[in-house]
Amino acid sequence: MAEETGGGNVIDQPYAKDGSMDLKGNPVLRSKTGGWTACSFVVVYEVFERMAYYGISANLVIYLTKRLHQGTVEAANNVTNWQGTVFLTPVIGAYVADAFLGRFWTFLIASAVYLSGMCLLTLAVSVSPLKPAYCKENCESATTLQLAVFFGGLYIIALGNGGTKPNISTIGADQFDEFDPKERMHKLSFFNWWMFSIFLGTLFAQTFLVYIQDNVGWTVGYAIPALGLMTSILIFLVGTPYYRHKAPQGSSFTRITKVIVASIRKWKLSLPNDPKELHEFDLEVYAKKGKFRIDSTNSLRYLNKAALKDGRSTPWTLCPVTQVEEAKQILRLLPILVAMFIPCTMIAQINTLFVKQGTTMNRHVGPYFQIPPASLGAFVTISMLVCVVLYDRFFVKVMRLWTKDPRGITMLKRMGVGLVLQIITMSIASLVERRRLSIARSHGLDKTVGEVPVTIFLLLPQFVLMGLADAFLVVGKIEFFYDQAPESMKSLGTSYSLTATGIGNFLSSSLLRLVASITSSRGRGWILNNLNVSHLDYYYAFLTLLSVLNFIYFLFVSKVYSYKSELRESMDMKAEKEASVGDQKVAMAEM
């Protein structure tokens, strides 16, 4: 039991060593905060929030075509443009969190915006003047008011996601003290189980909610996600006393810009042979802030000039080595970020063209039940769930014995496996679509609109394989950009992962529009409103080719990429000093 001094202070309190604090700025005890206890609230939040998000997005293309009466290409583009915005706004949220408000307050404010958008969207599908009348043929287009309210709700949701997405996973990872070996090991499993929670919420949305929307009504089908989001926010708030927080470190973009500007100003100067001659703070400075000091490296060596001492000492003319290396770490991620654009374009097909394919096929399961096309997305989630559990519980343990890597295999290798699985997935999707078209033509459905007499479960392989690919690629991508970002720029690193998804969605819209335009102008279009007269198989083959080319590029950039290595000297120095002081106090107390 800890002894107390006359002043009533507890001796040798085991405070978190990474600079974590409570909302009032006080140091926090490891035993009472953080760890899996705090993370449990984040994980449960993610289950309900993902249920809410995918409760809207999983069936969105169906709502746009059936209720807003949009064509296939227009609806698919609207979905991917919205999803692209959802995943690009996190760059803004990360900037606000790192520079001004911190992750917790940025997250809460954004959650309020998110919830308001969800409520507006629910009204748009519920109130008669705001929703188009139901019809099957010769339907009138939605009015300007109806479109404005519906898409207004969607883009308010996108704005709210900008503050929640880059910060919730970072808040979860922040609950593990990087300076504590035990907690550092727990952190390696966090992203697997955080993704597991996402899959649970997604699975519920893709099965129960999609069924409700198709068979009960859009009002109930959208009201449940709104209530789910409200529940998720309340769950997060309940865990507030257990959270560890990190103080805002200032704008990541500004710090990086300072390094670039300072190095440009000294472009005529030569670098010394000994990196110790460069400007750097003492270890104690970083230890007090719970940060790592980073040694100078030769990668992007030109930027080292920012730390050259030339008599000028303003923040825009002289930067410490650690700041220079942090800028390098962020800039080195850019080639990997670019390599993720095409894979994210492949993922965008799940909720657009994959689902649209299902609407043309036999959906009967028994005499009375029809499976909603969007529910096939559940098989993506199920395969991801199974794969993530097997990966974390068995694959990692086996591979550790062979590779001696705590993660089993490196993060880039994990992502590479996902890329290969995506290539296989799109190849199979092309072959399956060719089979579906062959059956459609044999029944004369290439001249009329009608249901192809083939089960919707013919699409099952491409959904299952995409789920396996995501288990490697998506989890690996999130972990990679978080892990490889500097400690003070974790929100920005997380936003990189989301940015890749956003650009991938916009790229999907552009490719779809471009291919539809080119092929239509030259005769028979690849992507028309009637998929039975389209050539979606050609489009999937085109995406497969893009994936192969992108994989070659990924192999190159991953081969030249060097993982960051941070010196733990500041951690060790701090730990030794605290241990020494603690031993002295205990010895004095026992006298």
Side-chain angles (χ1 to χ4, degrees):
M1 188 172 178
E3 301 291 337
E4 293 187 359
T5 64
N9 294 322
V10 179
I11 293 177
D12 197 25
Q13 289 277 29
Y15 292 108
K17 301 175 182 178
D18 61 353
S20 294
M21 55 190 182
D22 60 21
L23 285 175
K24 296 181 179 179
N26 301 315
V28 293
L29 296 172
R30 286 204 310 273
S31 60
K32 294 184 179 181
T33 60
W36 285 113
T37 300
C39 272
S40 63
F41 294 96
V42 174
V43 167
V44 176
Y45 160 88
E46 200 66 20
V47 172
F48 283 91
E49 189 277 328
R50 289 294 86 183
M51 179 271 288
Y53 175 77
Y54 283 102
I56 299 299
S57 64
N59 220 14
L60 183 57
V61 72
I62 302 299
Y63 186 86
L64 294 180
T65 53
K66 286 190 174 181
R67 297 308 299 269
L68 296 186
H69 318 306
Q70 296 183 344
T72 299
V73 174
E74 183 183 10
N77 282 341
N78 279 328
V79 172
T80 50
N81 285 337
W82 171 66
Q83 290 180 332
T85 306
V86 166
F87 288 100
L88 281 182
T89 51
V91 175
I92 301 173
Y95 171 77
V96 172
D98 284 344
F100 304 109
L101 299 180
R103 291 157 193 160
F104 181 83
W105 293 113
T106 302
F107 173 84
L108 283 188
I109 293 171
S111 294
V113 175
Y114 189 174
L115 183 59
S116 67
M118 192 71 79
C119 292
L120 180 60
L121 199 63
T122 304
L123 289 176
V125 301
S126 306
V127 180
S128 294
L130 301 180
K131 64 177 182 178
Y134 177 76
C135 74
K136 288 188 175 180
E137 296 181 1
N138 300 319
C139 301
E140 294 183 5
S141 300
T143 66
T144 302
L145 174 63
Q146 291 165 347
L147 291 173
V149 174
F150 186 82
F151 283 101
L154 282 179
Y155 281 91
I156 290 174
I157 289 173
L159 182 62
N161 266 263
T164 59
K165 278 185 178 294
N167 291 306
I168 185 62
S169 58
T170 312
I171 288 172
D174 284 347
Q175 304 312 308
F176 299 98
D177 190 346
E178 189 73 17
F179 286 78
D180 182 85
K182 185 177 180 181
E183 291 195 15
R184 195 186 311 147
M185 288 300 297
H186 287 168
K187 192 174 186 177
L188 296 180
S189 292
F190 166 72
F191 284 103
N192 285 329
W193 291 105
W194 179 68
M195 288 300 295
F196 184 87
S197 68
I198 289 178
F199 302 155
L200 283 180
T202 305
L203 181 62
F204 181 83
Q206 292 171 333
T207 52
F208 179 75
L209 287 181
V210 166
Y211 178 80
I212 292 293
Q213 290 165 0
D214 276 12
N215 296 277
V216 178
W218 295 95
T219 299
V220 178
Y222 274 36
I224 293 175
L227 290 174
L229 180 63
M230 187 181 300
T231 301
S232 70
I233 296 171
L234 292 175
I235 289 171
F236 178 83
L237 288 173
V238 170
T240 300
Y242 302 98
Y243 298 143
R244 298 174 184 172
H245 305 276
K246 299 289 181 66
Q249 299 291 320
S251 169
S252 302
F253 297 110
T254 302
R255 296 205 302 279
I256 294 171
T257 303
K258 286 177 179 177
V259 170
I260 295 173
V261 171
S263 60
I264 291 174
R265 285 182 169 181
K266 301 173 186 176
W267 67 276
K268 291 184 178 180
L269 302 181
S270 299
L271 288 167
N273 294 326
D274 186 358
K276 292 182 179 179
E277 296 180 23
L278 298 174
H279 173 60
E280 180 57 296
F281 297 132
D282 292 335
L283 280 170
E284 289 84 353
V285 174
Y286 295 104
K288 289 177 182 178
K289 296 179 179 180
K291 294 178 61 178
F292 299 120
R293 191 177 80 171
I294 311 173
D295 272 351
S296 179
T297 64
N298 287 326
S299 66
L300 299 176
R301 195 166 183 268
Y302 178 83
L303 294 179
N304 289 347
K305 293 187 177 184
L308 273 174
K309 302 173 184 177
D310 66 346
R312 294 175 291 180
S313 59
T314 68
W316 292 91
T317 56
L318 184 64
C319 305
V321 168
T322 294
Q323 183 179 339
V324 173
E325 292 302 317
E326 287 176 339
K328 289 182 183 180
Q329 288 172 4
I330 286 293
L331 294 175
R332 284 206 307 267
L333 295 177
L334 292 178
I336 303 294
L337 174 64
V338 172
M340 293 297 104
F341 295 164
I342 295 297
C344 290
T345 300
M346 304 303 112
I347 295 172
Q349 310 313 309
I350 297 173
N351 290 330
T352 53
L353 294 180
F354 281 16
V355 171
K356 189 62 180 175
Q357 277 179 281
T359 63
T360 68
M361 304 170 75
N362 180 6
R363 292 176 279 153
H364 289 280
V365 181
Y368 305 108
F369 180 74
Q370 282 191 338
I371 182 171
S375 289
L376 284 183
F379 290 98
V380 176
T381 306
I382 291 170
S383 61
M384 290 175 78
L385 279 169
V386 173
C387 187
V388 165
V389 173
L390 293 177
Y391 186 94
D392 190 76
R393 297 289 88 187
F394 301 102
F395 180 80
V396 171
K397 293 180 180 179
V398 172
M399 293 304 294
R400 277 176 185 166
L401 298 175
W402 184 27
T403 65
K404 307 303 179 183
D405 189 312
R407 289 186 170 86
I409 59 176
T410 66
M411 292 173 284
L412 288 174
K413 287 181 180 177
R414 181 175 186 172
M415 293 157 66
V417 172
L419 295 183
V420 172
L421 288 172
Q422 271 197 351
I423 293 172
I424 296 172
T425 301
M426 297 312 297
S427 301
I428 290 176
S430 179
L431 294 174
V432 167
E433 177 61 8
R434 179 171 295 184
R435 172 65 176 161
R436 190 193 69 82
L437 288 174
S438 175
I439 296 172
R441 293 187 188 105
S442 67
H443 287 79
L445 295 174
D446 56 334
K447 299 173 183 175
T448 61
V449 178
E451 184 180 276
V452 180
V454 62
T455 176
I456 193 174
F457 290 108
L458 184 67
L459 302 176
L460 200 57
Q462 65 200 58
F463 280 92
V464 172
L465 283 171
M466 189 63 84
L468 294 178
D470 286 356
F472 283 88
L473 178 63
V474 175
V475 181
K477 173 167 66 77
I478 294 172
E479 184 179 11
F480 174 80
F481 285 116
Y482 174 86
D483 182 84
Q484 292 299 292
E487 290 299 316
S488 60
M489 301 180 186
K490 292 298 187 185
S491 292
L492 179 60
T494 303
S495 74
Y496 265 26
S497 174
L498 302 171
T499 297
T501 304
I503 293 178
N505 275 276
F506 281 119
L507 186 57
S508 177
S509 294
S510 300
L511 285 174
L512 190 62
R513 191 181 300 110
L514 179 63
V515 169
S517 175
I518 292 175
T519 56
S520 295
S521 65
R522 294 189 175 184
R524 195 170 183 178
W526 286 5
I527 307 157
L528 303 171
N529 290 339
N530 183 1
L531 291 187
N532 293 339
V533 297
S534 301
H535 260 299
L536 203 55
D537 55 332
Y538 292 173
Y539 184 63
Y540 286 159
F542 170 66
L543 293 181
T544 303
L545 177 60
L546 284 182
S547 297
V548 171
L549 295 175
N550 182 75
F551 180 66
I552 295 172
Y553 167 73
F554 174 80
L555 289 178
F556 172 74
V557 295
S558 60
K559 184 175 182 179
V560 300
Y561 181 81
S562 58
Y563 288 94
K564 72 172 188 178
S565 57
E566 292 175 331
L567 283 182
R568 309 273 171 156
E569 292 179 58
S570 52
M571 174 187 72
D572 298 335
M573 174 182 288
K574 186 176 181 181
E576 290 173 5
K577 184 181 292 186
E578 289 179 348
S580 175
V581 172
D583 290 342
Q584 292 176 11
K585 289 183 177 179
V586 170
M588 292 177 64
E590 290 176 348
M591 289 178 64

